[in-house]
Amino acid sequence: MSEKHIDEISGVSTTGHEWDGIRELDNPMPRWWVWTFYATIVWALGYAIAYPAWPLLTSATQGVLGYSSREEVRKELSAADDALGTYRAAIRDKSVEAILADDQLRSIAVAAGGASFKVNCVQCHGSGAAGSPGFPNLNDDDWLWGGKPDQIQQTIAHGIRFAKDDQTHDSLMPAFAEVLDSAQIAQVSAFVVSLSQPVKNGSLIEPGKTVFAENCAACHGDNAKGNKELGAPNLTDAIALYGADEAAIAAQVRAPRMGAMPAWNARLGDTAIKELAAFVHALGGGEK
Amino acid sequence: MQDQDITRLDAVATNSAANRQPLYARRKKIFPKRASGSFRRFKWIVMAITLGIYYLVPWIRWDRGPFAPDQAVLIDMANRRFYFFFIEIWPQEFIYVAGLLVMAGIGLFLVTSTVGRAWCGYTCPQTVWVDLFLVIERFFEGDRNARMKLDAAPWSFTKLRIRVIKHLSWLVVAVLTGGAWIFYFADAPTLAVDFVTGNAAFIAYATVAVLTATTYTFGGLMREQVCTYMCPWPRIQAAMLDETSLTVTYNDWRGEPRSRHTKKAAAAGASVGDCVDCNACVAVCPMGIDIRDGQQLECITCALCIDACDDVMGRLGKERGLISYSTLNDYDANMAIATRSGSCSITPERVRKPDGTFSDKLAHFHIRKLLRPRTFIYFGAWSAIGVSIAFALATRDRLELNVLHDRNPQFVLLSDGAIRNGYTVKLLNMVPQPRTVVLKLDESFEGASMTVAGDDTANVLETEVVLEPDRLKTIKVFVRADPEVLSGTSRSFSFVATDPATGERADYTATFNAPEKLK
């Protein structure tokens, strides 16, 4: 350290350091600044006593005010729950149809259902509920097991082909590879496709119709409109779960894929399932 | 030996320790004398108008019908509305308020370029409230001499009583000032009752407390220190003046050399100016400055010194205007006459005719000097914005339609092969009356129909929507179209909302998306 040095021009002492011939005047800090600085120290001390501040090995000091941000969050959450309490109770006590008929309940149920959808359903049905091959698009108006509010509720609650639930939707399409030969499968596939769109080889349609009447009409109906009791798809519409072209239909006839959906009642509870049903119904395809 | 080659200069640093000035000086007591005259009268009028507007406007009622508040000027933060007489502003229309602020800014440029710091001198809240506080001070303590005497007197019961009453009166004004502010943000009569009975919101009490404290401190205790040390505006405004702007000027070309004993000096043959050094201009100055020292940062151009000087000149039988509003150009021209373009000291005889009246060569202010490119540009910009705002306000929509196209999924294939798109339609009813509007798809979208979610209307061409007064309504609309009419993967169409009662119409161009294979 160099000794005390006074700047000649201003008469102010310098900090005593010199950098490339430049010295720094040791002017005092402005008084307001110093007092503000002291005030922050006092404030910090008070803060450290009043609020949790000092880290310990496994936790931190509690602070004399006993403040906890977790506790605050808990209070806010329970206040939010309380605020929704009456609506939740109404949702619990009413049918999904009645909920949808009530403007206020409807908007609350749809919002809550949308939230649980994002947690529980998007993995299969996609974030916009548009599905993908094998996973139904919930926005459209095609329903394998029915699209009325209580039918949707039933499907969500008990699932599809979910062995652990005795009320689950259960059905089985046999693998026709062992019943029909390749030609017949090609014929019936062409017939099914022809119900909703043009096919390449029109001569297959008539024989396919016969094959259909003999093997398929039992479940899908004489008019091929399906049966929601059995979850048998309507084959005349434009929507096909596993693909709509002849190859995809033929594959489905030969060795059908039949998706499963878990039952959600045990996990989500009745109220959340009603909210989900309301949400799915409100996506735009719900039936009256 | 080298020392002899060095010339030692007699220089002292401006900030040398010996004569260093602090950046802030403590307030010196100022006891402004009461002035009277035309500028003082103008200042009283401005004070009455500005204070009157501030305190009374929240109490003006304005009937907007049963669905809107009946306060003429109301900034309704909770409901995000701003009511100004017949104008109602929604948050997205805040551009009008921004326009007003721009007008205020350009208006200040205009005023400053013509009449100098008139804002500071007459209309600045600090000036107005200091003036009000001085009125109160004068009422209880008397004018300049009495106040100085009281201030110098030792503490006594009388002095304490007077001082306590004065400060309490200041505090009452300060509370009323803070109180008036909150009435702009809520229904005034209701809030007044709630405030007194202790039922008003905490923020109301906090606002009044803060504004009371600032009014009392700034208006009563700090006064001119605020203008000199706290306000950034004097620096900016002083920089906006030019040589053609009017400013309070001591005309030393006729005042100097000043003399207290004019007759004696004149008799002795000395040259005497009009200034008799009575210091009246200094005594009345609320900023405590001497205008005769020239233009100063502290000067707020309130012109009270002009009133005081004119009064003295009148009593001496001399022409008024020794201190006057004058432009730098005129001052320089007259100064050049008085000093023979700077070649001699001020010689008042050079600006006077032998009979004692002023020379015809002197420059005088003329109203025409206000008309110059700068003021025209400011005025043009100012009125252009004003006219634009007025036009926009007169023609703005009170029914608005906004449409958000669902992006996830973009489209849905329906079982009959049709394509459906979802839209969130927002309808804004910006009048405080309920109304029913008809929402439809434009005719060009052939074969398209819509379904309103949660409604029984399915696949219709138009639907009625009931809107609450002064509210936004959001509805979910599904539009379906047959693939045959879709030529590509997307097409645009319009939603049209019409109010059959008023004929108002709003439309929004939206996009309809379809899968690629439909091409």
Side-chain angles (χ1 to χ4, degrees):
Chain A
M1 289 297 280
S2 55
E3 63 212 59
K4 194 170 156 70
H5 177 270
I6 305 287
D7 177 58
E8 273 178 31
I9 295 173
S10 61
V12 175
S13 66
T14 70
T15 54
H17 307 286
E18 185 175 339
W19 298 271
D20 295 340
I22 297 170
R23 291 171 184 275
E24 187 185 13
L25 295 185
D26 191 16
N27 276 317
M29 303 301 288
R31 209 174 316 151
W32 67 265
W33 190 95
V34 173
W35 282 110
T36 311
F37 177 61
Y38 291 152
T40 59
I41 293 174
V42 172
W43 176 267
L45 287 176
Y47 193 96
I49 294 165
Y51 289 93
W54 303 105
L56 304 175
L57 276 182
T58 54
S59 63
T61 52
Q62 293 296 302
V64 293
L65 292 187
Y67 172 84
S68 151
S69 51
R70 270 171 202 276
E71 178 64 14
E72 200 157 84
V73 170
R74 200 193 58 73
K75 272 186 201 152
E76 278 173 25
L77 287 178
S78 77
D81 273 348
D82 289 349
L84 279 174
T86 51
Y87 300 113
R88 280 265 151 77
I91 289 171
R92 191 186 62 225
D93 297 340
K94 288 189 173 183
S95 71
V96 181
E97 199 162 349
I99 292 166
L100 286 171
D102 180 323
D103 265 353
Q104 201 169 27
L105 278 186
R106 177 178 189 273
S107 65
I108 289 170
V110 167
S116 19
F117 187 88
K118 285 193 167 57
V119 178
N120 299 293
C121 314
V122 293
Q123 292 81 350
C124 293
H125 291 283
S127 61
S132 57
F135 301 95
N137 182 347
L138 304 178
N139 294 281
D140 64 28
D141 56 347
D142 192 24
W143 298 94
L144 290 170
W145 299 94
K148 294 191 171 73
D150 55 334
Q151 292 171 325
I152 297 175
Q153 183 189 357
Q154 161 76 17
T155 305
I156 300 171
H158 301 289
I160 297 163
R161 300 183 191 96
F162 190 67
K164 287 178 203 158
D165 191 309
D166 53 11
Q167 290 180 61
T168 195
H169 289 310
D170 210 354
S171 69
L172 179 80
M173 169 152 165
F176 281 87
E178 292 152 25
V179 181
L180 304 173
D181 61 30
S182 297
Q184 285 174 311
I185 289 175
Q187 288 160 356
V188 78
S189 303
F191 167 71
V192 168
V193 171
S194 76
L195 294 171
S196 57
Q197 53 184 303
V199 290
K200 285 177 208 135
N201 187 351
S203 65
L204 295 176
I205 297 174
E206 273 310 307
K209 197 172 182 176
T210 318
V211 177
F212 183 87
E214 285 166 5
N215 298 282
C216 315
C219 291
H220 291 283
D222 293 337
N223 54 9
K225 293 228 183 248
N227 183 346
K228 284 174 187 164
E229 294 291 311
L230 302 172
N234 180 351
L235 304 177
T236 63
D237 65 24
I239 299 167
L241 188 55
Y242 290 97
D245 60 8
E246 285 172 68
I249 300 289
Q252 196 60 9
V253 174
R254 213 173 277 125
R257 287 185 286 165
M258 288 163 290
M261 166 164 158
W264 291 95
N265 58 349
R267 180 158 173 180
L268 297 182
D270 201 31
T271 309
I273 283 171
K274 282 182 182 171
E275 290 165 354
L276 269 174
F279 170 75
V280 170
H281 191 273
L283 282 171
E287 294 168 345
K288 294 281 169 191
Chain B
M1 64 178 189
Q2 277 184 344
D3 273 4
Q4 288 164 349
D5 301 334
I6 294 170
T7 319
R8 298 224 172 260
L9 300 174
D10 184 18
V12 182
T14 50
N15 68 337
S16 75
N19 58 11
R20 187 172 302 162
Q21 299 282 320
L23 291 175
Y24 175 79
R26 285 180 72 86
R27 180 163 192 269
K28 295 193 182 86
K29 284 174 183 165
I30 298 172
F31 303 90
K33 190 173 154 58
R34 188 190 159 116
S36 59
S38 47
F39 289 107
R40 180 65 258 192
R41 206 172 308 123
F42 179 64
K43 213 163 137 81
W44 287 135
I45 293 167
V46 173
M47 183 178 160
I49 293 172
T50 48
L51 287 176
I53 289 174
Y54 178 71
Y55 289 120
L56 299 180
V57 157
W59 299 90
I60 304 173
R61 304 287 98 186
W62 195 270
D63 186 14
R64 293 189 182 85
F67 301 103
D70 60 353
Q71 185 156 319
V73 176
L74 178 66
I75 300 161
D76 191 349
M77 293 286 201
N79 298 309
R80 295 177 188 82
R81 296 286 182 277
F82 177 29
Y83 300 94
F84 189 80
F85 296 95
F86 59 92
I87 301 167
E88 182 192 329
I89 305 257
W90 281 48
Q92 67 267 36
E93 296 178 302
F94 214 70
I95 186 166
Y96 294 115
V97 180
L100 276 183
L101 291 175
V102 173
M103 277 181 81
I106 297 178
L108 272 168
F109 298 168
L110 176 63
V111 169
T112 307
S113 71
T114 52
V115 290
R117 290 176 60 186
W119 167 261
C120 288
Y122 300 97
T123 38
C124 170
Q126 173 69 12
T127 295
V128 171
W129 263 276
V130 165
D131 227 17
L132 179 62
F133 276 43
L134 276 172
V135 170
I136 294 166
E137 186 168 82
R138 244 180 240 127
F139 181 79
F140 292 114
E141 296 188 354
D143 206 3
R144 180 177 160 86
N145 289 337
R147 295 212 302 278
M148 288 169 82
K149 212 171 130 193
L150 181 75
D151 191 61
W155 280 103
S156 64
F157 177 72
T158 319
K159 180 170 172 174
L160 186 70
R161 184 174 55 90
I162 293 175
R163 282 283 157 95
V164 166
I165 291 174
K166 177 182 83 172
H167 284 277
L168 283 179
S169 308
W170 280 356
L171 274 171
V172 169
V173 171
V175 170
L176 290 178
T177 303
W181 180 257
I182 58 173
F183 293 139
Y184 284 87
F185 297 87
D187 183 61
T190 320
L191 180 59
V193 173
D194 284 351
F195 192 86
V196 176
T197 55
N199 293 322
F202 170 74
I203 187 75
Y205 294 101
T207 306
V208 172
V210 168
L211 288 180
T212 302
T214 50
T215 311
Y216 174 74
T217 317
F218 292 173
L221 308 180
M222 292 178 69
R223 296 192 193 169
E224 76 288 343
Q225 297 291 90
V226 173
C227 310
T228 312
Y229 293 108
M230 289 172 71
C231 182
W233 190 241
R235 277 85 172 154
I236 300 166
Q237 205 173 15
M240 290 196 311
L241 299 171
D242 61 21
E243 60 279 5
T244 41
S245 312
L246 281 173
T247 178
V248 173
T249 309
Y250 167 60
N251 293 311
D252 48 6
W253 45 266
R254 66 169 265 207
E256 298 294 318
R258 67 185 82 155
S259 168
R260 287 180 184 231
H261 306 289
T262 322
K263 280 179 185 158
K264 219 183 272 178
S271 173
V272 276
D274 283 345
C275 178
V276 292
D277 205 14
C278 65
N279 285 328
C281 54
V282 183
V284 296
C285 181
M287 303 296 291
I289 59 167
D290 185 346
I291 191 63
R292 293 171 300 175
D293 291 343
Q295 286 297 306
Q296 287 152 78
L297 167 84
E298 291 87 348
C299 176
I300 57 170
T301 72
C302 65
L304 295 187
C305 52
I306 299 183
D307 278 345
C309 188
D310 279 351
D311 184 42
V312 173
M313 288 297 116
R315 274 190 271 157
L316 290 172
K318 291 182 176 174
E319 204 160 331
R320 296 152 72 94
L322 174 55
I323 304 174
S324 69
Y325 264 113
S326 175
T327 69
L328 200 58
N329 275 343
D330 290 347
Y331 171 82
D332 284 345
N334 295 339
M335 195 65 176
I337 297 170
T339 62
R340 206 186 302 134
S341 302
S343 61
C344 63
S345 59
I346 295 170
T347 318
E349 291 77 26
R350 289 184 53 80
V351 295
R352 289 194 186 273
K353 289 192 234 174
D355 64 357
T357 57
F358 283 109
S359 153
D360 298 331
K361 283 181 282 180
L362 285 175
H364 291 286
F365 176 75
H366 192 279
I367 198 82
R368 262 203 319 275
K369 291 182 180 171
L370 294 180
L371 311 177
R372 47 186 212 272
R374 191 170 164 200
T375 53
F376 276 125
I377 290 169
Y378 285 149
F379 184 74
W382 184 82
S383 36
I385 296 171
V387 169
S388 311
I389 290 178
F391 179 76
L393 272 177
T395 58
R396 69 185 174 152
D397 293 326
R398 297 284 79 193
L399 174 67
E400 240 182 61
L401 174 66
N402 283 300
V403 178
L404 293 168
H405 188 189
D406 283 3
R407 288 286 161 190
N408 184 16
Q410 298 229 21
F411 48 78
V412 172
L413 173 67
L414 297 178
S415 38
D416 61 359
I419 303 298
R420 194 190 71 201
N421 279 208
Y423 301 88
T424 303
V425 174
K426 289 169 188 274
L427 280 157
L428 280 71
N429 176 18
M430 298 167 87
V431 295
Q433 271 86 43
R435 54 175 162 175
T436 305
V437 297
V438 176
L439 179 72
K440 59 178 171 186
L441 306 170
D442 70 4
E443 285 81 8
S444 72
F445 198 5
E446 213 181 308
S449 62
M450 62 180 176
T451 301
V452 178
D455 203 345
D456 282 335
T457 53
N459 300 331
V460 292
L461 293 176
E462 58 175 59
T463 181
E464 280 191 350
V465 187
V466 178
L467 303 180
E468 282 181 69
D470 198 43
R471 282 286 173 273
L472 159 79
K473 175 150 187 167
T474 305
I475 53 174
K476 181 89 194 198
V477 175
F478 296 108
V479 174
R480 54 161 288 158
D482 292 325
E484 294 84 58
V485 302
L486 299 167
S487 53
T489 54
S490 77
R491 62 159 291 161
S492 55
F493 69 101
S494 296
F495 281 100
V496 183
T498 353
D499 181 350
T502 62
E504 275 177 276
R505 184 191 138 102
D507 58 6
Y508 194 98
T509 306
T511 307
F512 189 93
N513 287 340
E516 214 160 311
K517 65 179 174 188
L518 287 170
K519 249 185 234 177

